[in-house]
Amino acid sequence: MSRTIVRAGAIAIAAIALLAVSALAFEWPADAGKFRYGFGTPRDGFLRGIEFGSNDGLALAADDGEMTFSAVGASLPGGYPLPGGSLIAVAHPADMMTIYAGLRPDSVSSYLKNVRKGDILGRSSSAGASRGATFYAFDARERRFINPLILMPTLIDDKPPVIRSVSLSMEGAETRLDQSKAVRQGSYYFLIDAYDSSPAGEASSPFDLRVLIDGSERERVVYDAAWASAGKANLFGGASRGEDSYLAGDGRIRLGPYSLSRGRVVISVAVSDYASNKREQTYSITVQ
Amino acid sequence: MGEVKGRRIAFSVLAVIVVILLYFFVFAEPLSPELSAIPKWKIDIAVGPGTAFDSADSASLAFAAGDRYGYYSFDGTVAFVAEIPGGAPVSDASYLYRASAAGSAGFMLKKPDDRTIAAIDAAYPFYTSGRLFSAQNDGTGVSAYDERGRKLWTYAFPCQLSAFSAGESLVVGGTVDGWLEGISPDGGRAFSFAPGGSRLPVILGLDVSRSGNWIAAVSGIDRQRLVVLGRGGTDFRVSSHRYLESDYREPVRVIVMDDERHVLYRRPDGIGVWSVDGSVDGLLPVKADDFDAAIDEATGVAYLSARRGNKSEIVAFRLPDTLLGRISLPDNCEYIRFSGSSAFVGGRTWLARFDFVEE
């Protein structure tokens, strides 16, 4: 079963890597130094793009394409709000779309039709806005968001992610693994609080997360894609998970449940960022 | 020779007279009665409580203009007017008041008489067709609530919405990648449909009929299309469509009229009138960036509120496209609604009512 999942994951990653190559790597749509939150960061839900800081930076077209939609104002004609006051969609070759949300409404270049890489599309939200301008990469053929990091020029990053805590959760009771050496036998969810520092210094999401129990990989998620089917939000291209089950209410990552049998159990959590910097925490506990 | 020529001229004149007479007698149409707008009342409004009236009375009408919102009645009695930056979501049955408690990001759902119904934990609540919804903060999802503020369902779309509409039994979202997805009353997917037929897919505007049996959408770029879907058993099928001359890349207003037969849509040369079965293809010569429409079921007269820049006007017409008259509104008019043959208009500091009367 786990081999099948790993194989499916590998195929999905390969497919997305192929897409990245065929999509002719995008340019950063804003100053990469203002990249605040990455794909997967809990921002009242799983962030499906990259959020930039404010300070009135320019938002640029990530690639050549054609603007298919631009809206500014508080809402669409049917009343649906436009969070951030603006929305732009640009169609690119190979069925790729880039979507820009939350640009300052009075700055949006809605007159553009054909867009060249680097064209100014608008300015990011003014300082003080609750949410900065957000950039999304969307594969219209597969109808899923792609982690923009896969499509962008790589950033220099030598800082590994941080694992704040790993807890076991059963029926609402939590046990932090760094504060306890023994738990009762049973089926547990793992609640993982991990982040990777973004260029702007915020707690952003990691790219790859693995859980090993007694040296055996029990779970691996790669922050590569997010999609929806029949009204349900799903995450990741390989071992897909429902967003509701993956993100706990406080933003921690929830995996499992895993059955822990009596005896000594070694639990390892390994987290990597997109530049392959890795952090691993190992806990040894007694299951009674 | 000259006599023959004179006869021919006389015959031609006679023929023209006969044709004109025939036109009037054979193709005669009764003249429509003249439509007059009779002012009923105009009031100045200011932030604060007004005269309390029974909120159980269905006569409470919601009002919103810029940052101001409130309630009034048909006779011009104001229940209250309040002001909050950005305004407040408001419907005839309830409104949302932003909770100001520290750490609270939600809203209080209130009745027009200020009684609290429930707390709503949502960042972007809004009303459509009198129903309460909230949008997900990245624009890819919607949640529906009942009249008591209880969340009924949440639906996630594959990407950002570019159009949205709700009927009594159907909610439809249109996406920036060119799909329509319908949501059934239980929150499940009712249908999914890509109109296609254009070089670049996108949904620019849509509307669902009140019954939920018809959906009209403007979609695509190069060429743009108007597509009407009709309910057929448990699914929706294309009932009619036409290609358009427009090249919009922004939201486009589309309205399925309450007669469940006609569709109005924005065109560069006016407002297009189309019938759901494709048998009518007309044009109202009213240029508008945005508009709304209603029918007075008692008289069959339809009313249009059209906005272009900061100019607004009300246009009366008979479906499909017989113009009856139009009234320009002041530049500071931000609020227009119709009820039967009455029009209510207003701005931040005033409200007025006038009734259309056929004479």
Coordinates of all heavy atoms in Angstrom, one line a residue, chain B residues 27 37 69 101 110 128-129 164 171 178 183 206 224-225 230 241 246 253-254 275 316 358:
Chain B
F27 N -51.6 47.1 -40.5 CA -50.5 46.9 -39.5 C -50.7 47.8 -38.3 O -49.7 48.1 -37.6 CB -49.1 47.1 -40.1 CG -48.9 46.2 -41.3 CD1 -48.9 46.7 -42.6 CD2 -48.6 44.9 -41.1 CE1 -48.7 45.8 -43.6 CE2 -48.3 44.0 -42.1 CZ -48.4 44.5 -43.4
A37 N -43.7 59.1 -14.4 CA -43.1 58.8 -13.1 C -43.6 59.8 -12.1 O -43.4 61.0 -12.2 CB -41.5 58.9 -13.1
Y69 N -25.7 52.2 5.5 CA -26.7 51.2 5.3 C -27.8 51.4 6.3 O -27.6 52.1 7.3 CB -26.1 49.8 5.4 CG -25.6 49.5 6.8 CD1 -26.3 48.8 7.8 CD2 -24.3 50.0 7.2 CE1 -25.8 48.6 9.0 CE2 -23.8 49.7 8.5 CZ -24.6 49.0 9.4 OH -24.1 48.8 10.7
A101 N -15.2 43.3 19.0 CA -14.4 42.7 20.1 C -13.0 42.4 19.7 O -12.8 42.0 18.6 CB -15.1 41.5 20.6
K110 N -27.8 40.3 12.3 CA -28.8 41.0 13.0 C -30.1 41.2 12.2 O -30.0 41.3 11.0 CB -28.3 42.4 13.5 CG -27.3 42.3 14.6 CD -26.8 43.7 14.9 CE -26.0 43.7 16.2 NZ -26.7 44.4 17.3
T128 N -26.7 37.3 -1.7 CA -27.0 37.3 -3.1 C -28.4 36.7 -3.1 O -28.7 35.7 -2.5 CB -26.1 36.3 -3.9 OG1 -24.8 37.0 -4.0 CG2 -26.6 36.1 -5.3
S129 N -29.3 37.4 -3.9 CA -30.7 37.0 -4.0 C -31.3 36.8 -2.6 O -32.1 35.8 -2.3 CB -30.9 35.7 -4.8 OG -30.3 35.8 -6.0
F164 N -20.6 34.8 -10.2 CA -21.4 34.0 -9.2 C -22.8 34.4 -9.2 O -23.1 35.6 -9.4 CB -20.8 34.3 -7.8 CG -21.4 33.6 -6.6 CD1 -21.0 32.3 -6.3 CD2 -22.4 34.2 -5.9 CE1 -21.6 31.6 -5.3 CE2 -23.0 33.5 -4.8 CZ -22.6 32.2 -4.5
V171 N -27.0 27.3 -6.8 CA -25.9 28.3 -6.8 C -24.9 27.9 -7.9 O -24.6 26.7 -8.0 CB -25.2 28.2 -5.4 CG1 -24.0 29.2 -5.4 CG2 -26.2 28.6 -4.3
G178 N -12.8 29.1 -17.0 CA -13.8 28.9 -18.0 C -14.8 27.8 -17.7 O -15.4 27.2 -18.6
I183 N -24.1 24.2 -7.7 CA -24.1 23.6 -6.3 C -25.6 23.4 -5.9 O -26.4 24.3 -6.0 CB -23.5 24.5 -5.3 CG1 -22.1 24.9 -5.8 CG2 -23.4 23.8 -3.9 CD1 -21.4 26.0 -4.9
L206 N -22.5 35.7 -15.3 CA -23.5 34.6 -15.3 C -24.7 35.0 -14.4 O -24.5 35.9 -13.5 CB -23.0 33.3 -14.9 CG -22.7 33.0 -13.4 CD1 -23.9 32.4 -12.7 CD2 -21.6 32.0 -13.2
Q224 N -16.3 35.6 -28.1 CA -17.1 35.6 -26.8 C -18.5 35.0 -27.1 O -19.0 35.1 -28.2 CB -17.3 37.0 -26.3 CG -16.9 37.2 -24.8 CD -16.3 38.5 -24.5 OE1 -16.8 39.5 -24.8 NE2 -15.1 38.4 -23.9
R225 N -19.0 34.3 -26.2 CA -20.3 33.6 -26.4 C -21.3 33.9 -25.3 O -20.9 34.1 -24.1 CB -20.1 32.1 -26.4 CG -19.4 31.5 -27.5 CD -19.3 30.0 -27.3 NE -20.5 29.2 -27.6 CZ -20.7 28.0 -27.1 NH1 -19.8 27.4 -26.3 NH2 -21.8 27.4 -27.5
G230 N -30.4 25.0 -19.7 CA -31.7 24.8 -19.1 C -31.7 23.4 -18.4 O -30.9 22.5 -18.8
H241 N -27.5 29.4 -27.7 CA -26.2 30.2 -27.6 C -26.1 31.1 -28.8 O -26.7 30.9 -29.8 CB -25.0 29.3 -27.5 CG -24.5 28.8 -28.8 ND1 -23.4 29.2 -29.3 CD2 -25.0 27.8 -29.6 CE1 -23.2 28.6 -30.5 NE2 -24.2 27.8 -30.7
S246 N -18.4 41.2 -28.8 CA -17.6 41.9 -27.7 C -16.3 41.2 -27.5 O -16.0 40.0 -27.9 CB -18.4 41.9 -26.4 OG -18.9 40.6 -26.1
R253 N -22.2 41.9 -16.9 CA -23.5 41.7 -16.2 C -24.4 40.9 -17.1 O -24.6 41.2 -18.3 CB -24.2 43.0 -15.9 CG -25.6 42.9 -15.3 CD -25.5 42.3 -13.9 NE -25.2 43.3 -12.9 CZ -25.2 43.1 -11.6 NH1 -25.6 41.9 -11.1 NH2 -24.8 44.0 -10.7
V254 N -25.0 39.8 -16.6 CA -26.0 39.0 -17.3 C -27.1 38.8 -16.3 O -26.9 38.6 -15.1 CB -25.4 37.6 -17.6 CG1 -26.4 36.8 -18.4 CG2 -24.1 37.7 -18.4
S275 N -33.7 35.4 -25.8 CA -34.6 34.5 -25.1 C -33.9 33.2 -24.8 O -33.0 32.8 -25.6 CB -35.9 34.3 -25.9 OG -35.6 33.7 -27.1
A316 N -37.5 52.3 -18.6 CA -38.7 51.5 -18.6 C -38.9 50.9 -20.0 O -38.7 51.6 -21.0 CB -40.0 52.3 -18.2
E358 N -49.2 54.3 -15.7 CA -49.6 54.4 -17.1 C -50.8 55.3 -17.3 O -51.8 55.1 -16.6 CB -49.9 53.0 -17.7 CG -48.6 52.2 -17.8 CD -48.9 50.8 -18.4 OE1 -49.8 50.1 -17.9 OE2 -48.2 50.4 -19.4

